[in-house]
Amino acid sequence: MFNIDPRDPRALYEQIIDHIKEQVIKGTLKPGDQVPSVRQLASMLTINANTVMKAYNELERQQLIETIRGKGTFIAQLPEKAINESQLISIQKELKSSCLALHYMGLSKEDVLEEVSQIYEDLLREE
Amino acid sequence: MFNIDPRDPRALYEQIIDHIKEQVIKGTLKPGDQVPSVRQLASMLTINANTVMKAYNELERQQLIETIRGKGTFIAQLPEKAINESQLISIQKELKSSCLALHYMGLSKEDVLEEVSQIYEDLLREE
Amino acid sequence: MFNIDPRDPRALYEQIIDHIKEQVIKGTLKPGDQVPSVRQLASMLTINANTVMKAYNELERQQLIETIRGKGTFIAQLPEKAINESQLISIQKELKSSCLALHYMGLSKEDVLEEVSQIYEDLLREE
Amino acid sequence: MFNIDPRDPRALYEQIIDHIKEQVIKGTLKPGDQVPSVRQLASMLTINANTVMKAYNELERQQLIETIRGKGTFIAQLPEKAINESQLISIQKELKSSCLALHYMGLSKEDVLEEVSQIYEDLLREE
DNA sequence: GTGGTCTAGACCACT
DNA sequence: GTGGTCTAGACCACG
């Protein structure tokens, strides 16, 4: 259910962030749902609590989750969708990087568009 | 002509790699063309020669450039296009990460497909 | 236990690569085993950490070791055995070079075959 | 007839050395035969004369060729076969390096012995 | 001139 | 603690 992989190129905390974002988009996690506590999740994944904390802090900064003192951590009501210009540019550069790498692995523009479509189909299937 | 940006999330040497890959795809650099020497490029970008060397080494590993001892570094004749399964999976994960981030910035599936299309139009314009 | 020799014709980082390959073949290092950290090995060999890093990077490229961020470096599970044609040709040329040199040192074909056999006996002794 | 390849892992001057050693072993070049002058060979191979000079100097040091002032350069009468201990050890290390690399390309001890045998058959065919 | 190796030391990200 | 990036500068081999 929770794939955390030390060999993944993404940092562990990023994998957690991505996983929760994914669950929210898929609808598996809905606004108001409680997410595991830092310690719970850390022991579930057998990783360090600081790593989970870092993921939660980042998610809270992005207003995707809310921590209510004494009660726990919950999926936020209104995931803010604000475009941050410099962040957008960064991600565009990452996208371009990925495209260049895929090009040299023999994938065409159409192949890459298909890859992206596939990602969205996986994400939106359960919505 | 050569944008190297210390604020870019990518490492300096990765920016060089991407830039040269891009030039080759665009056709600005053709097989057999000499690329700037390690020291030349380093002084052009006002970065350290070792950083350029690292980029060139990586490009040589990917068989995009060839080094001829004492003479210089050249665009390779046959850019190999071999799919490495584990590498492909890594990049797919990066793509997914980018999509998730873009989703929370308010971009739809169609917006992202458009972004990717745009990247390819920029790359293939001059080809 | 770890022979690093500045008078060896091989670069320091190559000696490290060869040594680890040897340990893995001999079975002294097994899949999953942790290898010394970059800094540890550097101080053990009284060489610079960057030199060890270069060796480890090369070994990782060859999929002999795996790096897990923040945790350390480990012998990989599945040492890939993929023949790269151009690499094979390079090594054949090196072999030929060695044979020519040995010929002029008075060694016959049989002597050289014996040398090679000896190398393999040393490698496979403990397996 | 003379294969000199800038992409070869061996230095140009080493390729020349190997080539001449090979011709002598094969019997194509016999003691007393004249070899091309430095300038001739340099222009034949379209490389720098200093590179040829370096090869010839090394061959002369190894007593494989003799330069007779004003007449030219000739294959020596008695190629000395003296074992230099430290040199032998160096070449043994190179051999081991090659074996390790070949092992990780999937070649067995027998495969490598066969490779070496093949090299000698090529060398001694015309003898 | 070219690339390649190595050092010493700083700084960062991740766990 | 771990590895990774980057710098500055030395020295070597090759052409």
Side-chain angles (χ1 to χ4, degrees), chain C residues 8-71:
Chain C
D8 195 302
R10 297 170 295 169
L12 297 184
Y13 81 94
E14 285 176 308
Q15 295 180 47
I16 296 172
I17 290 173
D18 280 359
H19 183 263
I20 290 187
K21 282 185 177 175
E22 210 179 316
Q23 297 303 311
V24 172
I25 294 174
K26 282 187 178 172
T28 315
L29 286 174
K30 295 189 200 319
D33 284 358
Q34 185 162 11
V35 295
S37 80
V38 169
R39 287 162 172 81
Q40 264 177 7
L41 188 51
S43 81
M44 281 163 61
L45 303 175
T46 60
I47 61 175
N48 190 277
N50 289 328
T51 305
V52 178
M53 178 98 72
K54 184 164 186 179
Y56 280 14
N57 282 339
E58 177 64 19
L59 283 166
E60 185 161 24
R61 272 210 311 103
Q62 294 181 23
Q63 295 180 284
L64 246 116
I65 62 177
E66 276 177 339
T67 287
I68 299 186
R69 71 183 83 257
K71 299 196 72 176

Side-chain angles (χ1 to χ4, degrees), chain B residues 40-120:
Chain B
Q40 263 177 7
L41 189 51
S43 82
M44 280 164 61
L45 303 175
T46 59
I47 61 176
N48 191 278
N50 289 328
T51 305
V52 178
M53 178 100 71
K54 184 164 187 180
Y56 279 14
N57 282 339
E58 177 65 20
L59 284 167
E60 184 161 25
R61 273 210 310 101
Q62 294 180 24
Q63 296 180 283
L64 246 114
I65 62 177
E66 276 177 339
T67 287
I68 299 184
R69 72 183 82 257
K71 297 197 73 175
T73 305
F74 304 83
I75 303 297
Q77 298 300 327
L78 298 171
E80 287 280 331
K81 297 200 176 186
I83 289 191
N84 175 319
E85 192 61 29
S86 66
Q87 229 178 314
L88 179 59
I89 290 172
S90 288
I91 298 177
Q92 283 170 335
K93 283 176 178 167
E94 277 170 28
L95 266 185
K96 190 172 184 174
S97 246
S98 298
C99 290
L100 289 170
L102 291 172
H103 175 86
Y104 280 102
M105 295 174 74
L107 273 67
S108 68
K109 173 183 175 182
E110 285 67 33
D111 293 334
V112 176
L113 288 173
E114 179 51 33
E115 288 280 353
V116 174
S117 286
Q118 191 58 46
I119 288 168
Y120 276 95

Side-chain angles (χ1 to χ4, degrees), chain A residues 66-78:
Chain A
E66 284 173 334
T67 295
I68 300 181
R69 256 195 294 278
K71 299 192 69 177
T73 304
F74 304 84
I75 303 297
Q77 295 303 326
L78 297 170

Side-chain angles (χ1 to χ4, degrees), chain A residues 18 22 93 96-97 105, chain B residues 8 18 22 83 96-97:
Chain A
D18 280 0
E22 207 179 321
K93 282 177 178 167
K96 191 172 184 173
S97 242
M105 295 173 76
Chain B
D8 196 301
D18 281 0
E22 211 178 316
I83 289 191
K96 190 172 184 174
S97 246

Side-chain angles (χ1 to χ4, degrees), chain D residues 44-61:
Chain D
M44 281 164 62
L45 303 175
T46 60
I47 61 177
N48 193 293
N50 290 330
T51 307
V52 179
M53 180 73 87
K54 182 161 187 181
Y56 278 18
N57 283 340
E58 179 62 20
L59 283 166
E60 193 157 10
R61 213 187 50 72

Side-chain angles (χ1 to χ4, degrees), chain A residues 1-2 4 11-24 29 33-45 47-69 71-76:
Chain A
M1 44 136 262
F2 211 130
I4 210 90
L12 295 187
Y13 84 95
E14 285 177 308
Q15 294 182 47
I16 296 172
I17 291 173
D18 280 0
H19 183 263
I20 290 186
K21 282 184 176 174
E22 207 179 321
Q23 296 304 311
V24 172
L29 286 174
D33 284 358
Q34 184 164 10
V35 294
S37 77
V38 168
R39 285 177 192 168
Q40 266 176 1
L41 189 52
S43 80
M44 279 165 62
L45 303 175
I47 60 176
N48 193 292
N50 290 330
T51 305
V52 179
M53 180 72 88
K54 181 161 188 181
Y56 278 18
N57 283 341
E58 178 62 20
L59 283 166
E60 194 159 9
R61 213 186 50 73
Q62 293 181 26
Q63 298 177 288
L64 245 116
I65 62 175
E66 284 173 334
T67 295
I68 300 181
R69 256 195 294 278
K71 299 192 69 177
T73 304
F74 304 84
I75 303 297

